[in-house]
Amino acid sequence: MVKYKPELKAQIVHEYLSTAQSINDLSEKYHIGESQISRWVQRYQLNGPDALKPRRHKRNFTADFKLSVINYYQTHEDSMAEVADRFDILPSQVSIWRSIFE
């Protein structure tokens, strides 16, 4: 898995939001997949610029938080990836918590 610098992510997201360039154009310009750029844009729009930076520490989640994520997933038509982006967690965490809950 390729890791991209937060500065590059921010630059691409800024170009997308401030110019008429499409995600497809940016994908070709930077040789980065469209789905990756889409995820960066969505995370930025939901959680701000800090969502593009790497985490420096392990996070611990409360049972209430986990239940609220699962409740949101079950009551909305969002995909697991969309729910994960909304709550700033990994899609695999949503899947694991859902399995445990069931």
Side-chain angles (χ1 to χ4, degrees), residues 4 6-18 26-27 30 32 37 40-41:
Y4 299 97
E7 297 82 13
L8 176 63
K9 294 177 188 180
Q11 177 183 342
I12 293 171
V13 169
H14 181 265
E15 281 186 48
Y16 174 74
L17 295 174
S18 65
L26 292 170
S27 174
Y30 291 100
I32 298 173
I37 294 173
W40 293 341
V41 170

Side-chain angles (χ1 to χ4, degrees), residues 2 4 8-9 12-13 16 22-42:
V2 177
Y4 299 97
L8 176 63
K9 294 177 188 180
I12 293 171
V13 169
Y16 174 74
S22 69
I23 288 181
N24 183 40
D25 293 341
L26 292 170
S27 174
E28 291 176 9
K29 179 179 177 180
Y30 291 100
H31 306 289
I32 298 173
E34 291 179 38
S35 61
Q36 183 66 61
I37 294 173
S38 293
R39 280 193 297 273
W40 293 341
V41 170
Q42 184 177 22

Side-chain angles (χ1 to χ4, degrees), residues 10 12-13 17-18 26 29 32 40-41 44-45 48 50 54 62-64 66-67 80-81 83 88 91 97 101:
I12 293 171
V13 169
L17 295 174
S18 65
L26 292 170
K29 179 179 177 180
I32 298 173
W40 293 341
V41 170
Y44 178 87
Q45 289 174 324
D50 287 339
T62 65
D64 287 339
K66 294 175 185 180
L67 287 172
M80 216 171 271
V83 172
D88 195 23
W97 296 344
F101 177 74

Side-chain angles (χ1 to χ4, degrees), residues 49-98:
D50 287 339
L52 302 176
K53 295 178 183 176
R55 292 201 172 59
R56 299 280 184 224
H57 62 283
K58 182 181 176 185
R59 298 185 299 169
N60 293 313
F61 301 102
T62 65
D64 287 339
F65 176 78
K66 294 175 185 180
L67 287 172
S68 68
V69 171
I70 298 308
N71 183 48
Y72 184 90
Y73 176 70
Q74 292 179 335
T75 58
H76 292 77
E77 294 185 13
D78 293 352
S79 70
M80 216 171 271
E82 291 169 330
V83 172
D85 284 341
R86 176 170 298 282
F87 289 95
D88 195 23
I89 57 176
L90 298 173
S92 60
Q93 289 174 308
V94 178
S95 178
I96 291 167
W97 296 344
R98 184 172 165 247

